[in-house]
Amino acid sequence: MEKLFIIANWKSHKTSNEAKSWAQGLLGFQFPESHEKETIICPPFTSLPILKTFIDENNLPIKMGAQNVSQFEEGAYTGEISAREVGEFAEYVIIGHSERRKNFSETDEILAEKVQKALSQNLIPIFCVQGADTLIPEGVKLVAYEPIFAIGTGLPDTPEDAEMVSKKIKEKYSFVQFVLYGGSVTPEDVNTFTQMQSVDGVLVGGASLDPEKFRQIIENS
Ligand code: PGA
């Protein structure tokens, strides 16, 4: 394993002031070198600007990610946020989370368009799949394996399963470089996943909302 990705997915949590307090909670923490561990925060869109400013001003080695991107170019699409607009604040974008597939009817075709729009603006997609059978669009380098039964349930998949699926994905899609595991990751079990050979990091929901827990996840990974 060359590099570990520790990614926080806040989902629809935190106002921009709460986001800033969270980041203040990480001041003073000795982050690992970024060639070893890449820390990425994916807050709601409304917190991207304040967090990016805070992180830049305090020289924190954290990268920004968004949780969604429009499948359209900028234009007459009320309520949408285009890849060009996301790119002003973020380097990464989560695409294809099962909550978006389920609650917002995002199909494989829509997700492929989102990936294409993201790549056209040099955003790096963090593409979520539920197993090795989920279709992964060409050009995706970073994948997160997130089995639905493990998301937000406190019942993570086994590290052995995560290893098997990650390995399968890399064998099946030669363009995929990194596969992360996501689903009920905690400071206590994070290293059981990150020590697996084909698992290149974690995508963390609930446990990333508390800066202290997230700090422990980075430390223990
Ligand atoms: P969880 O969410 O860590 O709260 O299970 C993970 C995710 O959905 O990305």
Side-chain angles (χ1 to χ4, degrees), residues 9 11 97-99 146 150-154 182-185 203-207:
N9 172 15
K11 310 191 180 185
H97 194 284
S98 57
E99 288 156 11
E146 296 214 315
I151 296 179
T153 57
S184 297
V185 172
L203 179 54
V204 188

